[in-house]
Amino acid sequence: MAEFASDKRSPEYFFMGLYVLVGAGALMTTVGFFGCCGAARESQCLLGAFFACLLVIFAAEVTAGVFAFIGKKGAIQEAQKIYEDIYDDYMKNPEKVNGTIYHYHSALQCCGKDSMEQQMGLPCPENIQMPKNCLVEIQNVIDANLHLVGIVGIAIAGITIFGMIFSMVLCCAIRNTRDMI
């Protein structure tokens, strides 16, 4: 992704994705702090905050998963539009060095978006036996890998549910031990 994002005209959401990952890391650090300190100090308040944070994260995961599967067609169209913009820029000014189009061709093992006549001036990888349409390859890659994203999402949601269960069990155990004393 660094090679795709290094071009001057790279889409801003590649960089926004990096900021989202940094924000998610900070959020997870805070949530982990609530859980660890709540367990170590036997604090019902911190364990309750940990449970609430996990509940919000679980709801966000489910929402993101639903939107990902509903918006699959839009994601494919957006990825194809990015390629078409890069392709059109290259065709207007082939002398200008544009490494992004070559990186797309290398990653997808394709060359161009239309007929063979238009592929003659494109920077295509040398190890392609039969050049394929890049727009079709973008759709194939997203279709083939979306189920992997779903499996990972379900696994993370399952771990989140276990975290919520264990935090509530620990919180109740702390309350019961305090009631006995």
Side-chain angles (χ1 to χ4, degrees):
M1 291 309 291
E3 293 168 343
F4 288 120
S6 64
D7 192 25
K8 280 192 274 185
R9 292 184 35 96
S10 65
E12 291 180 11
Y13 38 81
F14 281 136
F15 295 113
M16 285 192 321
L18 297 176
Y19 296 133
V20 167
L21 289 176
V22 169
L27 175 69
M28 294 310 295
T29 301
T30 305
V31 172
F33 174 78
F34 288 154
C36 288
C37 287
R41 311 271 292 152
E42 295 184 357
S43 170
Q44 288 180 323
C45 181
L46 286 176
L47 286 172
F50 179 70
F51 177 82
C53 289
L54 286 182
L55 185 64
V56 169
I57 290 170
F58 179 73
E61 288 171 351
V62 170
T63 304
V66 168
F67 281 126
F69 282 105
I70 289 174
K72 179 175 89 167
K73 187 178 253 185
I76 290 170
Q77 290 172 347
E78 189 64 31
Q80 289 174 336
K81 183 183 179 312
I82 292 169
Y83 177 77
E84 287 177 339
D85 291 343
I86 293 168
Y87 178 88
D88 292 340
D89 285 347
Y90 183 82
M91 293 310 265
K92 286 178 188 171
N93 191 3
E95 293 83 30
K96 180 182 147 191
V97 176
N98 187 347
T100 307
I101 195 165
Y102 181 75
H103 293 302
Y104 266 101
H105 291 166
S106 295
L108 298 172
Q109 290 296 301
C110 63
C111 191
K113 65 177 188 171
D114 291 322
S115 64
M116 291 295 283
E117 293 88 32
Q118 290 186 341
Q119 295 174 5
M120 297 312 241
L122 288 173
C124 299
E126 296 154 5
N127 57 353
I128 296 178
Q129 282 80 19
M130 185 172 169
K132 299 177 252 178
N133 184 337
C134 285
L135 298 177
V136 172
E137 287 303 306
I138 289 170
Q139 181 174 356
N140 291 343
V141 166
I142 292 175
D143 283 338
N145 294 322
L146 193 62
H147 73 280
L148 292 175
V149 173
I151 291 169
V152 169
I154 289 170
I156 291 172
I159 292 169
T160 305
I161 289 172
F162 278 120
M164 289 189 303
I165 291 169
F166 291 141
S167 69
M168 276 295 104
V169 167
L170 184 58
C171 191
C172 291
I174 291 169
R175 186 184 65 216
N176 289 340
T177 58
R178 288 197 180 150
D179 287 344
M180 296 174 116
I181 297 177

